[in-house]
Structures are given as C-alpha cells and as structure tokens.
Amino acid sequence: MAATQKDKCQIWDRFGEATIDLFATRYNTQCLSFFSPNDQDALMGVDALAHPWLRVLLYAFLLLALIPTTLTRVKQEGPSLILIAPNWTKEFRKTDQLFVSWARPHIGKPITKQHLSHWIVGAIALAYSSKGMQPPAALRAHSTRGMATSWALFWGISIREICAAANWASPHTFAMFYRLDVTAPTLVHTVLSVCPPEGQDPPARE
C-alpha cells in the first residue's frame, strides 16, 4: 500500500524521513530500501517479519491482519516505526482525544475520565473474580500506576527510566507515593499470573 506524495511529505515533515519501507513493492515503496511480501528484487528481502530490522526509522503501510504481529515485534525489539493505519472513526469522531463514545447520543464525543476510571476498575475487578477472589476494597484506576512501575523496578528497570516513562521529575515521587512491595506473595501474583520476561530469570530475593 502507498501514501500519496502529499501525505508522504507531511509524514516526513512531522516524524522524520524513514529509511526502510517494511511492506512494499518496487511500484509503491516510500523508501529506497524496502522489504516486499513477494518481490524477489526487493533490496532488503522478502517478508519483513522473517528478517532482522535495522536500527533506523522504519515505515509501514500494511494490511490490517499484519498490524498485531508488527506491533508485537516493535514492542519486543523497540525499533522506531511510522505505522500508517486506517482511521475507522474519522467519519464520526468529534475530538482528537483517543477514546471516544459509541453510545448515543454521545457518539464521537470524548469519554470522560470518570468513565475510563470505571472501566479500568471494572477490568481489574473482573480479573480478581475470574480467580474466585474479591478485589481490594480501595481499588482505584490510579492503582495501576503504582503496580506497573513497582513491577518494572522489580524486573530491573532503572529508576531513571521509570521516572521518565511516568513523567516524574524525581524518584522521590515514586518512593513516597507509588512504590509497592511486590516481592511477597499476594493476591496480585495469582490474579495477574506474573512471570518474568522470556529468557529472563526473576531477580534474586533477599
């Protein structure tokens, strides 16, 4: 698939010029270097998912069926990728906010923070109930922030990286308000079925 020349210029101006097109042919590639699903003359080879990706800015305008696999690869390996995907909500979206309502009469309008919090708490409570357990009485949507960052620290992510990802100016914020003890067996271990990243042993406990 290919973007128009106008679209391409706008994308390059905003995100930078990509070096490799992951899913293209000689007729629609947006980059000099490209992988192709079936073109044997593709400079980088056939089937991008079967090859290692260089640490350069990548570009992908691909079939919907390939998006989950591609995003999994990005999550695992961390390359920089410009992903072009259909905007199914364009016709009814009334806001730039990510989450919008499907319910009448609010279709296309932004979801409130209260609704999002309610959904998050509901999902966590459902995880507990699926294991035959009662969710914590003080459960809030904000609880996920402390749990996620505490597990990141447990698995060896540096304080600096955690603070940067969470947009905290100082480790003091994490230590005082968010750090949780995730080393002792708790209901969370059972509900989340926590396991170490693939190929990594859990840190030694004192």
Side-chain angles (χ1 to χ4, degrees), residues 1-3 7 11-12 15 30 59-64 67 81-87:
M1 298 182 182
D7 291 336
I11 294 169
W12 276 196
F15 300 105
Q30 304 299 309
Y59 174 90
F61 190 168
L62 66 168
L63 298 173
L64 288 177
I67 290 179
L81 171 67
I82 299 173
L83 175 63
I84 308 300
N87 183 1

Side-chain angles (χ1 to χ4, degrees), residues 41-190:
D41 294 328
L43 181 62
M44 302 302 296
V46 175
D47 188 2
L49 296 173
H51 293 269
W53 295 348
L54 299 178
R55 290 289 179 171
V56 295
L57 182 57
L58 306 171
Y59 174 90
F61 190 168
L62 66 168
L63 298 173
L64 288 177
L66 293 176
I67 290 179
T69 305
T70 301
L71 291 180
T72 298
R73 179 81 173 265
V74 171
K75 182 178 180 180
Q76 291 173 343
E77 300 181 7
S80 298
L81 171 67
I82 299 173
L83 175 63
I84 308 300
N87 183 1
W88 296 106
T89 62
K90 181 178 180 180
E91 297 301 321
F92 65 86
R93 178 179 288 273
K94 299 180 176 64
T95 175
D96 290 333
Q97 184 171 307
L98 177 60
F99 296 102
V100 296
S101 176
W102 284 88
R104 297 181 183 278
H106 307 294
I107 292 179
K109 295 181 180 180
I111 296 295
T112 65
K113 293 181 179 180
Q114 291 77 14
H115 270 99
L116 287 175
S117 295
H118 178 74
W119 291 345
I120 293 172
V121 170
I124 297 173
L126 182 62
Y128 274 87
S129 63
S130 70
K131 295 292 184 177
M133 301 176 179
Q134 291 294 323
L139 181 63
R140 300 179 301 150
H142 201 63
S143 304
T144 58
R145 193 166 172 86
M147 185 59 66
T149 51
S150 297
W151 273 111
L153 181 67
F154 179 75
W155 291 117
I157 306 300
S158 71
I159 288 289
R160 177 178 296 181
E161 291 177 290
I162 291 172
C163 289
N167 198 28
W168 291 327
S170 167
H172 177 77
T173 303
F174 172 57
M176 289 294 296
F177 303 105
Y178 293 98
R179 185 173 183 179
L180 303 173
D181 180 11
V182 295
T183 60
T186 64
L187 288 179
V188 174
H189 287 70
T190 304

